[in-house]
Amino acid sequence: MLNHQDTICAPATANGIGAISVIRVSGNKSWEIVSKIFSKSFDGKESHTAHFGTISDDDKLIDEVLITIFAEGRSFTGEESAEIACHGSPFIQQQIIKVLTKNGCRMASPGEFTQRAFLNGKMDLSQAEAVADLIAAQSRSSHDIALKQLRGGFSSELKDLREQLINFASLVELELDFAEEDVEFADRTELKALVTSVLAYVKRLAESFELGNAIKEGVPVAIVGAPNTGKSTLLNQLLGDDRAIVSNIAGTTRDVIEETLNIEGILFRLIDTAGIREGAEEIEAMGIERSKEKIDQAKIVLCLADASVDKSVEDVKAWVAELEGTYPNKRIQLIVNKSDLSASSEGIAISAKEGENIESLKSWMVNSVTEGFDMANETIVSNARHYDALMKTAEALDKALAGLETNVSADWVAIDIRQAMFELGTITGDISTDDLLGNIFSKFCIGK
Amino acid sequence: MLNHQDTICAPATANGIGAISVIRVSGNKSWEIVSKIFSKSFDGKESHTAHFGTISDDDKLIDEVLITIFAEGRSFTGEESAEIACHGSPFIQQQIIKVLTKNGCRMASPGEFTQRAFLNGKMDLSQAEAVADLIAAQSRSSHDIALKQLRGGFSSELKDLREQLINFASLVELELDFAEEDVEFADRTELKALVTSVLAYVKRLAESFELGNAIKEGVPVAIVGAPNTGKSTLLNQLLGDDRAIVSNIAGTTRDVIEETLNIEGILFRLIDTAGIREGAEEIEAMGIERSKEKIDQAKIVLCLADASVDKSVEDVKAWVAELEGTYPNKRIQLIVNKSDLSASSEGIAISAKEGENIESLKSWMVNSVTEGFDMANETIVSNARHYDALMKTAEALDKALAGLETNVSADWVAIDIRQAMFELGTITGDISTDDLLGNIFSKFCIGK
């Protein structure tokens, strides 16, 4: 466990040159340490006030800065804090960090500010995790999921579930107290209905992870088809107005060359576009073998047929049927290109060259990702750890339900319910271990 | 001229992902526009206070932010301002900029915040230029020069010079008023002494530019010598502890591969280190021809001789003498390597392999850059525009002095003095044109 008595510091803004940079300081000696190197004292100053002055290392002037101070209980971490806005030079940042550590600060570990916010009860664990997701969000939909989670939307739903389970557990345990008298206090039908309803909700949340994960990571799309069906032209049409500018984030580098596309706030990753551009995958008549690898990685597969070529539509249709059999969890779609040359009523008819019907294709892509979920109002789970915990919760509830149905004794049911509550508790951090916290926060950047 | 009635906005922190990013807003509608998209009102709030809340685009929540407000006259620009600290995601920054512009802000031009600070009298032009230099500074010495300039050290010296010239001009013009009476009010000897003293000071400032520019850009160093004299070993010894980490700044990419070295706060750029490592320049016996290009770019040339090889020291000594003749403005130094193998009393004797005497070499390098200037107390000019203006000032003063010496009439002398004052005034911006300002501030980044 980290020592939370220390006062810590770290750069909070992105690396590099800018007009200003911000350095965060947090811990119960923040004001004392910062005022030692600052030209002004914070004596009698109020929380949330900004002060212009200079920072020096003994007599050596380092920079003109603006320092905003936060009182204990009113900061991001919940601790006494200060934010130093200096000129945006890496050299100056380095000098200020140096003089802060010289005067009693410790350099923060990755995620330590957010971890302190969690430990001080400023946010639960799922909210803390949302901070990292929010910062990394590159599309409207991933942003919205993370922001809702940060604002406590997910936490309050989990709290509701937990309360229902506590309610249930208390009924069961009441029965336990009177076990020797063989009294059945709670109506078992009612209990079953309650567990069934909670279970359905937990499963629904777990199911949303597939969508949430796709949105967070970007939805992988493969464009496959025989040579000269227009794959490259379609790629360019899709990229036309919606090409996404994606910044590099540690851990998100992909193995294959990709283009990204932002349609209605959802990020799509077009797999192996170098292959498409170079026609590298177009070996066999249908490109099936070479396409297999791409299809394996994709969530959406666009199979291109050429309406101007005899039997092409028929062949690709058969291929689509075959793929649907092999990959029941992928969305496989027949796209009939050069549809201006021939009237085809199958699949989605487009003209990649003329840009006809591309909008319909895009709408289909968005729908195929979001269908079955109400993106605006429903909670979408996007964190693998939460998904695991939800699956374990569901497993325990399944056992509880089976117990109720086979009339096992109340104490066995109570164990399963407590297990379900335990698993739910790991999401919000009501249940946590040092290992779990270390694992979560070490993935944050320094300064968060 | 830009419209300074507008309220402008721009990201102020470096591009990329961080814990937080800051967006600056400046102009007389800053509070009004920001409060339109913020969850709280600034009514009755004081300058320099920070407010936590949410930013929304109509009903659509964008982020939780901390907004610090600054009243007119008390901000960086001198205008009513606000700084929005949001989560450090490029996506969120983009959304906030979008909603700000939708509500009446204009995206700032490069350097527009600093330009407004200048136009509103918060700083003079040389101070505004120092903002950019300070942000780009990568070493202690370039940082110190820029910070001194930002703090007004240079400005106040220029003000002193200007006052002396005004004093002088008033004496000369008094004489002019009585010209018809052929009266000589001012003692011409005294006048000459005054101009001579100002001229000497202006020339001293101009001379410091060579040092200032070298410090700002890094001092280029060439290591040359015959094959196997130990150039690569010396390079590694020099880089040992002092290798500088230099960030990429637009406009500072170099043509040749370089290593940088920070000795006592001064940045040295070792030219064409790839050549040294690969031995690519080691063709002829002395490598003279191939070294020529490197020497042309260098300010300091280290000529390596090998004490263990017959006649090597003699040969290199002759070469140094020749180079000194060709390049009177470069520092050419004989370095005798493998000095543990032979007692040499010439040049700087080192053992690159054993690391002997490397510190002496480093001290010599620092001294050869700074000698003749008192870095701690003297003003060092590092801006080419200032250097040009100082040279023109000196030229005008030279003419004035010549006029005084040849007893030309006072009105001619007065013209030269006014010209000198004009040139000095362009440095601080007392004299400025839209073209000049445009030229200076367009080189800033957006957000500064």
Side-chain angles (χ1 to χ4, degrees):
Chain A
M1 184 68 105
L2 293 161
N3 178 2
H4 293 289
Q5 298 308 104
D6 291 356
T7 294
I8 53 174
C9 67
T13 45
N15 284 333
I17 305 248
I20 60 168
S21 299
V22 178
I23 293 163
R24 263 186 185 164
V25 182
S26 183
N28 56 13
K29 291 202 170 136
S30 295
W31 294 18
E32 180 191 324
I33 292 173
V34 173
S35 65
K36 271 198 261 180
I37 62 172
F38 191 48
S39 54
K40 292 176 180 170
S41 153
F42 301 129
D43 284 355
K45 300 297 179 203
E46 294 197 15
S47 183
H48 289 64
T49 53
H51 306 272
F52 183 76
T54 56
I55 279 189
S56 301
D57 180 6
D58 295 326
D59 292 340
K60 182 82 192 152
L61 190 64
I62 296 178
D63 199 10
E64 294 183 340
V65 300
L66 185 81
I67 299 183
T68 310
I69 52 173
F70 303 89
E72 192 183 332
R74 297 191 59 197
S75 71
F76 172 73
T77 56
E79 302 171 330
E80 186 181 284
S81 306
E83 286 182 6
I84 303 172
C86 61
H87 282 97
S89 124
F91 178 81
I92 290 173
Q93 273 189 67
Q94 199 184 58
Q95 299 303 309
I96 294 178
I97 296 277
K98 234 187 234 174
V99 69
L100 282 170
T101 52
K102 191 170 139 185
N103 282 277
C105 276
R106 171 170 66 70
M107 188 73 188
S109 313
E112 196 170 0
F113 292 94
T114 314
Q115 182 165 4
R116 288 185 175 200
F118 163 67
L119 291 173
N120 293 323
K122 299 294 284 186
M123 51 177 66
D124 73 22
L125 204 49
S126 77
Q127 289 174 297
E129 288 170 298
V131 171
D133 286 350
L134 184 62
I135 289 168
Q138 302 188 358
S139 67
R140 164 72 65 188
S141 53
S142 56
H143 167 268
D144 288 353
I145 291 174
L147 188 57
K148 187 172 177 190
Q149 190 176 322
L150 176 66
R151 300 278 294 165
F154 185 36
S155 308
S156 78
E157 292 190 61
L158 292 172
K159 206 177 144 216
D160 285 351
L161 287 176
R162 206 173 146 81
E163 270 167 20
Q164 289 183 52
L165 290 177
I166 287 172
N167 181 24
F168 178 87
S170 65
L171 285 174
V172 170
E173 285 175 18
L174 192 62
E175 194 177 302
L176 274 180
D177 290 342
F178 294 85
E180 285 169 22
E181 295 162 45
D182 202 23
V183 176
E184 199 172 277
F185 277 80
D187 176 353
R188 289 230 161 179
T189 317
E190 213 175 281
L191 287 184
K192 269 187 255 178
L194 181 58
V195 173
T196 306
S197 130
V198 171
L199 181 58
Y201 194 77
V202 168
K203 283 187 170 165
R204 174 85 186 161
L205 282 174
E207 274 163 19
S208 76
F209 175 67
E210 197 191 2
L211 168 60
N213 191 53
I215 284 173
K216 187 166 153 182
E217 301 289 330
V219 184
V221 179
I223 303 177
V224 294
N228 301 319
T229 31
K231 295 190 296 295
S232 170
T233 315
L234 174 58
L235 175 67
N236 288 331
Q237 280 289 352
L238 286 172
L239 290 175
D241 297 326
D242 299 310
R243 187 188 225 112
I245 294 158
V246 174
S247 46
N248 284 320
I249 309 168
T252 64
T253 47
R254 316 284 177 191
D255 293 325
V256 285
I257 291 166
E258 297 186 334
E259 295 276 2
T260 50
L261 189 62
N262 189 333
I263 310 176
E264 295 174 31
I266 293 176
L267 199 72
F268 293 88
R269 298 188 285 108
L270 298 166
I271 298 173
D272 189 19
T273 52
I276 293 177
R277 294 209 192 278
E278 292 160 17
E281 94 285 20
E282 305 172 348
I283 305 284
E284 315 85 345
M286 200 67 94
I288 295 180
E289 284 309 307
R290 299 282 295 208
S291 301
K292 202 178 166 310
E293 213 175 316
K294 280 168 62 172
I295 295 172
D296 276 340
Q297 299 170 50
K299 168 79 189 151
I300 292 178
V301 183
L302 306 179
C303 300
L304 238 69
D306 182 341
S308 68
V309 170
D310 250 8
K311 284 197 66 197
S312 165
V313 175
E314 259 173 76
D315 285 349
V316 177
K317 215 174 124 186
W319 187 30
V320 166
E322 190 193 318
L323 287 174
E324 282 173 339
T326 318
Y327 304 101
N329 292 321
K330 296 186 195 296
R331 295 298 309 252
I332 321 280
Q333 179 61 45
L334 169 65
I335 310 289
V336 182
N337 191 20
K338 310 189 188 173
S339 60
D340 49 330
L341 304 177
S342 154
S344 165
S345 59
E346 318 222 39
I348 299 173
I350 62 164
S351 164
K353 201 174 155 197
E354 307 296 330
E356 276 170 33
N357 234 9
I358 299 296
E359 291 310 312
S360 306
L361 172 55
K362 287 181 179 175
S363 296
W364 176 85
M365 286 167 70
V366 169
N367 289 338
S368 74
V369 172
T370 59
E371 74 185 348
F373 285 92
D374 177 356
M375 288 286 291
N377 299 305
E378 208 167 348
T379 293
I380 311 293
V381 174
S382 65
N383 182 307
R385 188 182 75 81
H386 302 173
Y387 170 73
D388 284 344
L390 288 168
M391 291 302 281
K392 284 180 185 155
T393 308
E395 201 181 309
L397 290 176
D398 266 330
K399 278 172 75 181
L401 194 59
L404 286 172
E405 270 162 4
T406 55
N407 276 314
V408 300
S409 81
D411 47 355
W412 284 106
V413 176
I415 289 174
D416 292 331
I417 295 299
R418 269 185 239 117
Q419 183 65 29
M421 285 167 62
F422 173 89
E423 298 296 351
L424 277 186
T426 62
I427 300 180
T428 53
D430 291 322
I431 310 292
S432 71
T433 63
D434 286 358
D435 278 358
L436 173 66
L437 297 185
N439 191 32
I440 290 172
F441 290 105
S442 65
K443 286 175 194 146
F444 278 56
C445 298
I446 284 177
K448 275 181 207 156
Chain B
M1 184 72 103
L2 292 160
N3 177 2
H4 293 288
Q5 298 308 105
D6 292 355
T7 295
I8 54 173
C9 66
T13 44
N15 283 334
I17 305 247
I20 61 167
S21 300
V22 177
I23 293 163
R24 262 186 186 166
V25 183
S26 183
N28 56 12
K29 292 202 168 137
S30 295
W31 294 18
E32 181 192 324
I33 293 173
V34 173
S35 65
K36 272 199 261 181
I37 62 172
F38 191 48
S39 54
K40 292 176 182 170
S41 153
F42 300 128
D43 284 355
K45 301 295 180 205
E46 293 195 17
S47 182
H48 290 64
T49 54
H51 306 271
F52 184 75
T54 56
I55 279 188
S56 301
D57 180 6
D58 295 326
D59 292 341
K60 183 81 191 153
L61 190 64
I62 297 177
D63 199 10
E64 294 182 342
V65 299
L66 185 81
I67 299 182
T68 311
I69 52 174
F70 303 88
E72 192 183 333
R74 297 192 57 197
S75 70
F76 172 71
T77 57
E79 302 172 330
E80 186 180 283
S81 307
E83 286 183 6
I84 304 172
C86 61
H87 283 97
S89 125
F91 178 80
I92 290 173
Q93 274 190 65
Q94 199 183 60
Q95 299 302 309
I96 294 178
I97 295 278
K98 234 186 233 175
V99 69
L100 281 170
T101 51
K102 192 171 140 185
N103 282 276
C105 277
R106 170 169 68 70
M107 187 74 188
S109 313
E112 197 171 0
F113 291 94
T114 314
Q115 182 165 2
R116 288 185 174 200
F118 163 66
L119 291 172
N120 293 322
K122 299 293 284 185
M123 50 176 67
D124 73 22
L125 203 50
S126 77
Q127 288 175 297
E129 289 170 297
V131 172
D133 286 349
L134 185 61
I135 289 168
Q138 301 188 1
S139 67
R140 163 71 67 188
S141 53
S142 55
H143 166 269
D144 289 353
I145 291 174
L147 188 57
K148 187 173 178 191
Q149 191 176 321
L150 175 66
R151 301 277 293 164
F154 186 33
S155 309
S156 77
E157 293 189 61
L158 292 172
K159 208 177 142 215
D160 285 351
L161 286 176
R162 208 173 144 80
E163 271 167 19
Q164 290 183 51
L165 290 177
I166 287 172
N167 180 25
F168 179 85
S170 64
L171 286 175
V172 170
E173 284 173 19
L174 192 61
E175 193 177 303
L176 274 180
D177 290 342
F178 296 85
E180 287 169 17
E181 295 160 46
D182 201 23
V183 176
E184 198 173 277
F185 278 79
D187 175 354
R188 289 229 161 181
T189 317
E190 214 175 280
L191 287 183
K192 269 187 253 176
L194 181 58
V195 173
T196 306
S197 130
V198 171
L199 181 58
Y201 195 78
V202 167
K203 283 188 171 165
R204 173 87 186 159
L205 283 173
E207 274 164 20
S208 77
F209 175 67
E210 197 191 2
L211 168 60
N213 190 53
I215 284 174
K216 186 165 154 184
E217 301 290 330
V219 183
V221 179
I223 303 177
V224 293
N228 300 320
T229 30
K231 295 191 295 297
S232 169
T233 314
L234 173 58
L235 175 67
N236 288 330
Q237 280 289 354
L238 285 173
L239 289 175
D241 297 326
D242 298 310
R243 188 187 224 113
I245 294 158
V246 174
S247 46
N248 284 320
I249 309 169
T252 64
T253 47
R254 316 284 176 192
D255 294 325
V256 285
I257 291 166
E258 299 184 335
E259 296 276 2
T260 50
L261 188 62
N262 190 332
I263 310 175
E264 294 175 32
I266 293 176
L267 200 70
F268 292 88
R269 299 188 287 106
L270 298 165
I271 298 172
D272 190 18
T273 52
I276 292 176
R277 293 209 192 280
E278 293 160 16
E281 94 285 19
E282 305 172 348
I283 305 283
E284 314 84 346
M286 200 68 93
I288 295 179
E289 281 311 307
R290 301 281 295 206
S291 301
K292 201 178 167 311
E293 212 174 317
K294 281 168 63 172
I295 295 171
D296 277 340
Q297 301 171 50
K299 169 79 188 148
I300 292 178
V301 182
L302 305 179
C303 300
L304 239 69
D306 183 340
S308 69
V309 170
D310 251 9
K311 283 197 63 194
S312 165
V313 174
E314 259 173 77
D315 285 350
V316 177
K317 216 175 124 185
W319 186 30
V320 167
E322 190 193 318
L323 288 174
E324 281 174 341
T326 318
Y327 304 103
N329 292 319
K330 296 186 194 297
R331 295 299 307 252
I332 321 281
Q333 178 63 44
L334 168 67
I335 310 289
V336 182
N337 192 20
K338 310 188 189 174
S339 59
D340 50 329
L341 305 177
S342 151
S344 164
S345 60
E346 319 223 39
I348 299 175
I350 62 164
S351 164
K353 201 173 156 197
E354 308 296 332
E356 275 170 33
N357 234 9
I358 299 296
E359 290 311 312
S360 305
L361 171 56
K362 286 182 180 175
S363 296
W364 176 84
M365 286 167 69
V366 169
N367 289 338
S368 73
V369 172
T370 59
E371 72 185 349
F373 285 93
D374 176 358
M375 289 284 293
N377 299 305
E378 208 167 348
T379 293
I380 311 294
V381 173
S382 66
N383 183 307
R385 189 182 75 80
H386 301 174
Y387 170 72
D388 284 343
L390 288 168
M391 290 302 281
K392 285 180 187 156
T393 308
E395 202 181 309
L397 290 176
D398 267 330
K399 279 171 75 181
L401 194 59
L404 286 173
E405 272 162 2
T406 54
N407 277 314
V408 301
S409 81
D411 47 354
W412 286 107
V413 175
I415 288 174
D416 292 331
I417 296 298
R418 269 186 239 116
Q419 183 65 28
M421 285 166 62
F422 173 90
E423 298 296 350
L424 276 185
T426 62
I427 300 181
T428 53
D430 291 321
I431 310 293
S432 72
T433 62
D434 286 0
D435 279 356
L436 173 67
L437 297 185
N439 191 33
I440 289 172
F441 290 105
S442 66
K443 285 176 195 146
F444 277 57
C445 298
I446 284 177
K448 275 182 208 154

